[in-house]
Amino acid sequence: MSNKLNWPLLISCILLFPVAQAGDAGNSLAEYQPVVTDEFKILLGKADISKGQTSFMRKCSSCHDHKKNGGHGKGPHLWNVMGRKAGSAPGFKYSTAMAGSGHTWNWATLNYYLTNTEQAVPGRAMNFRGIRGDSDRADLLLFLASLNDEPQAIP
C-alpha cells in the first residue's frame, strides 16, 4: 500500500464535500427562504402531537408559555406563533437579531430555525441550540401549529 496522497482526488473532495453536504448551511433567515422538503412533509404526516407536546414541555416550557391566555416568560408567548412575523409579539423585548430577521413563522421557517437556531438567526438571545432529530422536530412543529386560533394546514 502506497503512502502517496492522491492530490487530485483530495482536492476534489475538499471542493465538492461542502456543497454536497451543507446545502443551505450558513444562511440566516434574514437572507434565506427555506422550504419544507418532501421528506419532511412525510414526517409531518406521521408526526405525533402528544410527543410534540411532551417535547415542548421538556425543552421549551421553562421559557415559553403555550396557553391561549398565557403571557411572555423569558421567551415570547407562543400562541399564534405560526403566521406571526418574527420579533413582533407585543410587549416582548426581542434581540436586535430576531427583531430584524424579517421572516414570518411558518412550517418551513420554524423547521429551519429549530434545526439550528444560531445559524438561522445569528445573534439571537434564545439559549437553545436546536433539535437535530427530524422526526422529533416534526412532532414539535405539529404541536406548535396547534397553538393557534386558526391552525395552518400541514403542508
Side-chain angles (χ1 to χ4, degrees):
M1 187 161 140
S2 174
N3 285 338
K4 288 186 172 185
L5 285 176
N6 184 337
W7 285 104
L9 178 62
L10 180 62
I11 291 179
S12 296
C13 289
I14 291 169
L15 293 175
L16 294 176
F17 184 78
V19 173
Q21 295 296 312
D24 52 28
N27 294 317
S28 76
L29 285 169
E31 59 198 31
Y32 176 66
Q33 286 296 320
V35 296
V36 178
T37 64
D38 289 338
E39 294 83 10
F40 198 74
K41 287 178 185 178
I42 291 168
L43 290 175
L44 285 170
K46 296 177 182 178
D48 183 329
I49 196 167
S50 64
K51 286 182 181 178
Q53 182 175 16
T54 299
S55 178
F56 179 88
M57 296 311 288
R58 287 184 182 155
K59 298 178 182 191
C60 312
S61 68
S62 63
C63 296
H64 295 280
D65 191 342
H66 70 290
K67 295 183 176 142
K68 183 173 183 166
N69 296 319
H72 302 307
K74 183 177 180 182
H77 184 223
L78 293 182
W79 188 264
N80 284 330
V81 68
M82 285 274 206
R84 181 194 303 161
K85 184 177 179 192
S88 70
F92 187 79
K93 178 139 174 63
Y94 288 91
S95 66
T96 303
M98 185 61 78
S101 64
H103 64 279
T104 298
W105 294 121
N106 58 41
W107 295 97
T109 56
L110 273 169
N111 181 46
Y112 187 75
Y113 180 69
L114 291 172
T115 300
N116 183 335
T117 61
E118 180 59 29
Q119 172 183 291
V121 181
R124 88 272 178 252
M126 187 167 96
N127 188 21
F128 182 73
R129 299 185 126 198
I131 299 170
R132 302 287 183 214
D134 291 342
S135 61
D136 295 335
R137 216 169 41 259
D139 293 338
L140 179 59
L141 285 176
L142 189 62
F143 176 70
L144 290 174
S146 75
L147 307 177
N148 205 297
D149 293 328
E150 298 177 23
Q152 294 183 9
I154 298 172

